[in-house]
Amino acid sequence: SCSRAYRIKTGLEKNEQYREIRRGMTAYVDIYKGLDLVARMSALNVYLKMSFEHIGFVGFYITKLVNDEKTLHIGPFQGHVFATGIIPYGKGVCGTAAEQATTQIVADVSACDNYIACDNETKSEIVVPVFGPAAADGARDVVAVLDVDSGVVGGFDEVDRRELEALCADFLY
């Protein structure tokens, strides 16, 4: 049965909303121990989509090696449009985040030469790399990216960067 323990409040100030998402995710993974990566990604998508009205799409792209080329394949997502199914590393905001292993914030997608449009309502975007477990040498590969689109210009800032990077690090690996 569903527990009220992992349900969250919405409509809060941004920092407080992220604290509420963290509380909900913590409760969810504590109640359902052993959740796999796809389940945790799906839960984080739901929390983000329901927490911020300006988010039109939120989802993960999973890194795959195809014919010796790294590509991103659509994984769990929430939104009103279908996402681009496969994105090569280095292409678009998602591919750039994966290739450079750094979070990308695009305040206005209409001014981004490398933007891959799949929704005319998207005005800004943040893409956060998700790192896998550390190898013996301490290196960590990008295993996925979290893609979040907003219907407003300037929809994301350094608070979003900090909080989304922390949520991905703490709950996905």
Side-chain angles (χ1 to χ4, degrees):
S1 70
C2 289
S3 169
R4 293 195 183 280
Y6 55 79
R7 293 190 182 164
I8 66 169
K9 298 174 193 167
T10 58
L12 306 173
E13 179 273 326
K14 186 188 285 192
N15 285 303
E16 191 176 338
Q17 191 65 56
Y18 276 116
R19 282 191 295 277
E20 187 68 359
I21 291 168
R22 176 170 292 282
R23 187 200 58 73
M25 282 293 295
T26 299
Y28 194 70
V29 299
D30 284 350
I31 289 169
Y32 298 108
K33 298 197 183 317
L35 287 175
D36 69 7
L37 180 61
V38 170
R40 293 188 314 267
M41 287 176 165
S42 297
L44 185 53
N45 284 341
V46 170
Y47 283 128
L48 291 169
K49 182 86 168 83
M50 68 188 278
S51 291
F52 301 106
E53 289 183 11
H54 68 95
I55 291 177
F57 173 90
V58 57
F60 289 90
Y61 284 90
I62 313 298
T63 299
K64 305 258 184 200
L65 190 62
V66 178
N67 299 325
D68 296 324
E69 297 281 329
K70 285 185 177 179
T71 56
L72 296 168
H73 292 239
I74 190 63
F77 71 92
Q78 297 259 321
H80 64 274
V81 297
F82 280 97
T84 303
I86 300 173
I87 301 171
Y89 262 49
K91 302 293 182 193
V93 182
C94 291
T96 299
E99 184 175 72
Q100 295 180 3
T102 59
T103 297
Q104 304 291 306
I105 298 176
V106 178
D108 183 354
V109 298
S110 70
C112 181
D113 293 336
N114 198 23
Y115 177 67
I116 299 172
C118 64
D119 180 6
N120 292 335
E121 294 179 21
T122 296
K123 305 298 182 210
S124 60
E125 179 174 24
I126 185 169
V127 181
V128 177
V130 177
F131 297 96
D137 65 359
R140 297 180 73 199
D141 290 332
V142 174
V143 297
V145 296
L146 170 62
D147 178 18
V148 189
D149 297 350
S150 173
V152 299
V153 172
F156 304 104
D157 59 20
E158 290 303 315
V159 171
D160 298 294
R161 175 195 305 265
R162 180 186 72 238
E163 296 296 337
L164 292 172
E165 286 175 353
L167 286 166
C168 288
D170 294 346
F171 291 105
L172 300 181
Y173 279 97

